[in-house]
């Protein structure tokens, strides 16, 4: 089968998912139509055709796809369009996220040609999978994309694509109930450069006064503001964050997980 257009949809507040989807897209050696939804989740998408391929990359949040993306997936329309769902997780576990993403795409008219779970530095700190995806991860992503590309070019029709066994549970893991809203705090070392406001995917850092988090209840805890602050002036002080970060450092920082692919 020939693919006419390759589209890539990515949500990636701290950029690790983006590294993997860029690596996968590059293998298809054609103009890529990028749909980056990190900062704008209201945009329209084309109706995807049966000769298109859609690569979708998202981070794992609590073993699921990020809740704020659910509506967006319902606005995607495939027409027996091949897709490659990809999740990025922070070396703890991807649980039901890849299955959920693949299910959502299937319900919207897409056929999964290959799927993968890759590892990226955890949002909660560089102690957990720091620097990943690394050279090895990117090489695995490239090999994965080449294998899916060869699978697609080696078949005559969509009917030849067999359903993949993607790990995960039905029903999916329950999302944790929203507790007391919490967001980042800002230290006195902040010099009002405004960088954190430009990288916040929720637009809740006041551009005029970056110490002001306008809606802590919408904070994703993605830590993009913390990781990009040149003054190290943003931090999380919530007890939940501190405890969970401690858990991750104690339990998920020594053993490095490896990418898992399904073709
Ligand atoms: C709210 C939240 C929940 C997360 N849940 C998980 C998880 O369940 N398992 C895991 O291994 N990593 C988890 N992570 C880590 C992210 O999946 C990981 O850091 C990912 O690489 C971030 O992607 P990005 O760089 O594209 O933003 C979570 C991160 C956040 C912010
Ligand atoms: S990036 Fe850091 S220094 Fe710049 S405005 Fe934000 S908190 Fe302040
Ligand atoms: S304020 Fe919250 S949503 Fe915005 S970048 Fe910081 S952690 Fe992410």
């Amino acid at each position: 089968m020939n693919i006419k257009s390759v589209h890539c949809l990515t949500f990636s507040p701290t950029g690790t998912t983006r590294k993997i989807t860029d690596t996968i897209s590059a293998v298809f050696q054609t103009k890529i139509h990028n749909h980056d939804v990190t900062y704008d989740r209201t945009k329209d998408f084309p109706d995807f055709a049966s000769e298109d391929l859609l690569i979708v990359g998202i981070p794992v949040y609590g073993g699921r796809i990020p809740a704020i993306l659910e509506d967006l997936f319902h606005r995607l329309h495939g027409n027996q369009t091949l897709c490659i769902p990809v999740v990025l997780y922070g070396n703890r576990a991807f649980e039901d996220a890849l299955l959920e993403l693949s299910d959502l795409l299937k319900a919207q008219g897409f056929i999964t040609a290959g799927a993968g779970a890759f590892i990226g530095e955890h949002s909660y700190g560089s102690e957990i999978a720091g620097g990943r995806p690394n050279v090895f991860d990117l090489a695995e992503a490239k090999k994965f994309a080449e294998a899916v590309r060869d699978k697609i070019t080696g078949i005559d029709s969509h009917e030849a694509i067999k359903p993949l066994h993607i790990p995960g549970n039905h029903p999916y893991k329950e999302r944790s109930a929203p507790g007391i809203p919490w967001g980042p705090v800002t230290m006195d070392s902040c010099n009002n450069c405004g960088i954190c406001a430009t990288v916040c995917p929720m637009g809740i850092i006041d551009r005029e006064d970056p110490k002001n988090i306008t809606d802590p209840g919408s904070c994703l805890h993605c830590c993009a503001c913390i990781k990009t602050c040149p003054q190290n002036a943003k931090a999380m002080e919530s007890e939940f964050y501190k405890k969970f970060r401690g858990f991750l450092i104690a339990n998920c920082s020594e053993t490095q997980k490896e990418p898992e692919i399904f073709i």
Side-chain angles (χ1 to χ4, degrees):
M1 266 184 60
N2 278 331
I3 295 295
K4 284 202 180 137
S5 303
V6 179
H7 295 257
C8 182
L9 190 160
T10 316
F11 175 74
S12 186
T14 58
T16 62
T17 307
R18 177 97 229 179
K19 285 185 188 165
I20 294 291
T21 51
D22 281 351
T23 303
I24 292 172
S25 302
V27 164
F28 289 89
Q29 291 184 344
T30 172
K31 179 180 166 3
I32 308 295
H33 303 270
N34 274 309
H35 308 274
D36 192 320
V37 298
T38 309
Y39 303 110
D40 180 4
R41 290 164 297 279
T42 59
K43 53 177 89 170
D44 289 328
F45 303 101
D47 280 341
F48 297 98
S50 58
E51 308 84 20
D52 293 345
L53 171 70
L54 177 66
I55 299 158
V56 181
I58 52 137
V60 175
Y61 283 0
R64 301 277 305 271
I65 72 160
I68 52 154
L69 298 180
E70 270 180 39
D71 283 352
L72 181 152
F73 284 115
H74 291 128
R75 288 190 284 112
L76 291 179
H77 296 292
N79 174 17
Q80 294 247 306
T81 307
L82 296 180
C83 70
I84 307 180
V86 170
V87 297
L88 247 280
Y89 71 104
N91 206 46
R92 186 186 68 78
F94 63 95
E95 295 172 295
D96 302 333
L98 189 59
L99 179 65
E100 183 180 17
L101 179 58
S102 177
D103 286 348
L104 272 167
L105 290 166
K106 186 176 172 193
Q108 298 302 123
F110 295 86
I111 300 169
T112 299
F118 293 83
I119 297 93
E121 176 173 308
H122 202 289
S123 319
Y124 285 12
S126 58
E127 298 89 339
I128 315 133
R132 295 186 76 182
N134 55 24
V135 179
F136 165 80
D137 295 312
L138 297 179
E140 288 299 301
K142 183 166 180 271
K143 268 199 266 172
F144 162 66
E146 286 167 349
V148 179
R149 180 198 61 197
D150 293 348
K151 171 178 170 177
I152 295 170
T153 46
I155 55 166
D156 292 334
S157 71
H158 296 83
E159 283 73 47
I161 306 259
K162 303 269 178 297
L164 297 176
H165 180 73
I166 296 174
N169 298 295
H170 292 120
Y172 311 126
K173 185 182 174 183
E174 271 196 37
R175 293 190 191 279
S176 35
I180 302 163
W182 53 280
V185 294
T186 310
M187 315 293 166
D188 290 343
S189 52
C190 168
N191 62 9
N192 287 321
C193 71
I195 292 174
C196 54
T198 63
V199 301
C200 175
M202 301 307 284
I204 56 171
I205 302 180
D206 189 339
R207 283 174 191 250
E208 301 303 315
D209 174 15
K211 292 185 180 69
N212 178 22
I213 307 300
T214 56
D215 178 10
S218 300
C219 179
L220 299 175
H221 314 132
C222 68
C223 299
C225 54
I226 296 174
K227 289 191 174 187
T228 53
C229 172
Q231 305 296 322
N232 284 327
K234 281 264 187 285
M236 293 295 189
E237 285 189 341
S238 111
E239 276 314 306
F240 169 81
Y241 171 84
K242 286 186 193 160
K243 259 196 180 161
F244 197 57
R245 190 176 124 77
F247 166 86
L248 291 168
I249 292 172
N251 296 285
C252 308
S253 61
E254 270 183 26
T255 308
Q256 293 295 317
K257 301 251 165 105
E258 292 190 5
E260 288 180 53
I261 59 170
F262 309 91
I263 303 170

